[in-house]
Amino acid sequence: MIYVARLNAHLRHAKTVLEREVVERQAAQALLLQNEKRLRQIIETEPECVKVHGRDGTILEMNPAGLRLVEAAAPSDVIGISVYQLVAPDYAAAYRSLTQRVFAGAVEKLEFEIISLKDRRLWMETHAAPLTDAHGNVTAILAITRNISAQKRYEQQMRRENRELAHASRLDTVGQLATMLAHELNQPLTAIANYSKGALLRLRNSEGREEVVGAMEHVCAQAERAANIIRSLRGFISRTDEELACISINDVIERALSIAQIEAQAQNVAIECDFARDLPTILGERTQLEQVVLNIVRNGFEAMEHVPASGRKIKVVTSTAGNGMARVCIDDTGPGLCTDELDTLFTPFLTTKQAGMGMGLSICRSIVEAHGGRLSAAQSKAGRGLSFAFELPPSCEQRVMQ
Ligand code: ADP
C-alpha cells in the first residue's frame, strides 16, 4: 500500500515536471518563432539587398529590396537561379574568388557590375560573410549588396572632367613652349636644307658618291630628330583617352624630359637624373604621368629664374619606397618656400606668377591620386630649393607577387 502511494506521488511529481517542461518548451518555441519573425521582418524591410547563396552561386534567398535591385517581378525569378546569371561576365572571376574566400571563413567586400533582369548594367558593392551550421561548417554566403551606380557615375564624371582639365593644361603648356619649339624645330630643318643643298651641288658637279651619301645620312638624322620632337608633342597633347597600361616610370620621366630639355637649354638649367633600374612597373596613363613630371620640372625652371645660371639644377631621382611603391623625387635649386606657403601649395588657383593659372599642381595631385599614389612637396634636404616627391603603387601583377 505504502509502495503504491509512493509510486503515485512519484508519478504526480513526474507529471508536474513534464507539464512544466512542455510549457517551457512551448514558451521557448514561441520565443524562437517570434525571434525568427522579427529577423525576417528586419530582412524584409531592410533597404539594402540581402541575399543568401550557395558555393556554386545558387541563390537561396533574396529580400524584396534585392528583388527590386535586380529588377525581378517575383521571388521565383531569382530563387534557384545562379548568381552568375546576374553578375556581369567581366566580374564573374572576381565574384568566384570572393565566394571561395568567404567559404574559407573570410568576410569580404567587392565592387562589381551586374546585368539586371531588365538588361541594365548596374554597379554594386557587396559585403559578404559566411553562414555556418551548428558544427561551424560554412553552408552559404550572406551578402548585403547596395547599388552604387550613382556614385560610380559621379566618379566617372569627375574623372572625365579632370581629364579635360588636364588636357587643357597640356595645351597651355605647349602653347607656352611654342616659341622655343619653333626654334628647336628650326635647327634640324635648317640643317636638312643645308645638307640637301650640299648634296645637290655635289651631284651637279658629279662629285664622289661618298660625299653625297654622307650628306644624305645627315639629312636623315636631322629629319629623325625633327620627327621625334613632333611625335613626343603630338602624344603629349592628344586628347584621346589612353588605355591603362603597365608602364615604366623611368620611361615616363625620359619622355617628359625630352620636351623639358628644350626649355632647359634656353634657360641654362642642368638636368641630372639618377634612375633606379629595378623599379616596379606602374598601371597608369603615360601621358598624364608625363604631364605631372613636366609640370613640376617647368615650375622648377621658373623658380630658378633669379638664380645665377651656373647654379640652376633639377635633379630627378627614382627609387623603390619601403612600401613597395615606385618613388620619384624632383628637386630644384630655387628659393624654395616657407612652411605657410608649402601648406597652400596645392590649392587650386593659387599662383605667384603674373600669367599663372595656379592649376598645375592641383591637376598633378589629382592625377597622382587617381593612380592610387600621393604627391607632396617639402623644402629640399640639400638646403635650398623645393623637393617634390610622388609615389605610385606597382601594377596589379606585381602587387600579387609581393
Ligand atoms: P602656376 O604655375 O600656374 O602658378 P602651379 O599650381 O603649377 O600653378 O603652381 C602654383 C604656385 O606654386 C606657383 O605660382 C609658385 O608660386 C609655387 N611653386 C610651384 N613650384 C614651385 C617651386 N619649384 N619653387 C617655388 N615655388 C613653386
Side-chain angles (χ1 to χ4, degrees):
M1 217 29 205
I2 294 172
Y3 170 74
V4 172
R6 255 197 213 142
L7 196 64
N8 264 342
H10 270 308
L11 279 174
R12 266 200 305 278
H13 177 68
K15 188 178 168 232
T16 318
V17 170
L18 206 66
E19 277 171 355
R20 205 171 45 229
E21 271 181 12
V22 168
V23 170
E24 277 172 7
R25 197 164 291 177
Q26 278 173 343
Q29 218 160 16
L31 193 68
L32 210 64
L33 277 174
Q34 196 185 333
N35 280 347
E36 198 183 308
K37 196 171 158 204
R38 192 179 304 153
L39 195 66
R40 199 142 277 286
Q41 266 176 351
I42 292 174
I43 292 175
E44 298 278 299
T45 53
E46 162 67 45
E48 310 290 10
C49 160
V50 180
K51 69 174 185 297
V52 176
H53 68 77
R55 191 190 283 270
D56 64 352
T58 305
I59 298 174
L60 306 170
E61 283 199 52
M62 190 180 276
N63 69 346
L67 299 181
R68 283 195 296 278
L69 196 75
V70 300
E71 300 187 301
S76 57
D77 289 348
V78 282
I79 306 298
I81 72 163
S82 168
V83 75
Y84 295 103
Q85 284 177 248
L86 297 166
V87 174
D90 26 341
Y91 291 92
Y95 200 92
R96 222 165 248 126
S97 109
L98 163 114
T99 304
Q100 273 169 8
R101 290 194 301 275
V102 175
F103 264 88
V107 175
E108 295 276 334
K109 182 181 144 191
L110 180 71
E111 285 186 5
F112 62 103
E113 282 183 282
I114 65 158
I115 298 171
S116 80
L117 294 182
K118 289 193 178 156
D119 241 10
R120 285 202 309 148
R121 242 182 129 94
L122 301 165
W123 268 103
M124 299 289 146
E125 181 190 76
T126 202
H127 291 257
L131 277 183
T132 52
D133 64 13
H135 308 289
N137 300 318
V138 182
T139 53
I141 284 184
L142 171 69
I144 299 187
T145 309
R146 68 190 179 96
N147 187 346
I148 55 163
S149 303
Q151 178 191 327
K152 283 282 173 188
R153 266 198 306 276
Y154 174 73
E155 281 171 15
Q156 272 163 5
Q157 172 74 11
M158 287 293 287
R159 260 200 297 276
R160 246 193 319 271
E161 280 172 12
N162 278 342
R163 259 207 196 99
E164 289 292 317
L165 199 61
H167 181 241
S169 160
R170 289 202 298 278
L171 288 181
D172 183 49
T173 302
V174 174
Q176 289 172 26
L177 289 173
T179 321
M180 271 173 269
L181 282 170
H183 176 71
E184 188 69 12
L185 277 174
N186 206 30
Q187 285 180 350
L189 292 178
T190 311
I192 289 169
N194 287 340
Y195 283 120
S196 305
K197 275 183 207 153
L200 213 57
L201 198 69
R202 285 181 178 115
L203 284 174
R204 281 200 188 112
N205 294 342
S206 308
E207 282 180 32
R209 188 174 166 275
E210 282 309 304
E211 283 79 16
V212 179
V213 169
M216 290 320 287
E217 275 170 359
H218 281 298
V219 168
C220 288
Q222 292 300 321
E224 188 60 33
R225 183 178 154 201
N228 275 341
I229 298 171
I230 300 288
R231 206 175 298 130
S232 54
L233 277 177
R234 207 172 43 198
F236 188 68
I237 56 175
S238 74
R239 176 189 285 271
T240 47
D241 288 352
E242 271 184 285
E243 289 280 308
L244 283 180
C246 280
I247 48 179
S248 145
I249 197 69
N250 288 345
D251 283 355
V252 167
I253 297 171
E254 267 167 4
R255 284 167 60 137
L257 292 185
S258 73
I259 299 175
Q261 203 66 50
I262 300 166
E263 204 173 357
Q265 276 163 13
Q267 299 193 8
N268 288 312
V269 178
I271 301 182
E272 190 186 317
C273 295
D274 182 1
F275 290 165
R277 288 291 149 204
D278 54 353
L279 282 183
T281 53
I282 305 303
L283 184 67
E285 290 187 38
R286 191 184 291 277
T287 312
Q288 299 232 355
L289 293 172
E290 271 177 40
Q291 181 173 4
V292 172
V293 176
L294 186 59
N295 211 318
I296 294 174
V297 168
R298 291 192 66 238
N299 271 344
F301 292 165
E302 286 176 87
M304 293 185 291
E305 205 180 5
H306 301 296
V307 172
S310 60
R312 295 177 196 163
K313 197 167 100 182
I314 295 277
K315 186 162 185 190
V316 188
V317 180
T318 60
S319 60
T320 307
N323 51 13
M325 291 203 188
R327 185 176 167 82
V328 181
C329 290
I330 303 174
D331 288 33
D332 62 58
T333 52
L337 292 172
C338 68
T339 318
D340 285 354
E341 289 168 326
L342 273 172
D343 287 344
T344 54
L345 187 62
F346 294 94
T347 312
F349 302 114
L350 214 132
T351 181
T352 54
K353 302 169 194 169
Q354 255 184 354
M357 285 262 289
M359 283 306 289
L361 289 176
S362 125
I363 292 172
C364 288
R365 182 171 259 186
S366 49
I367 291 175
V368 172
E369 287 176 357
H371 282 78
R374 50 176 184 270
L375 168 67
S376 58
Q379 200 58 32
S380 175
K381 286 205 181 72
R384 57 185 302 226
L386 211 56
S387 173
F388 284 88
F390 61 91
E391 290 180 356
L392 295 164
S395 56
C396 307
E397 304 94 72
Q398 287 171 325
R399 247 174 280 174
V400 172
M401 277 159 53
Q402 275 172 5

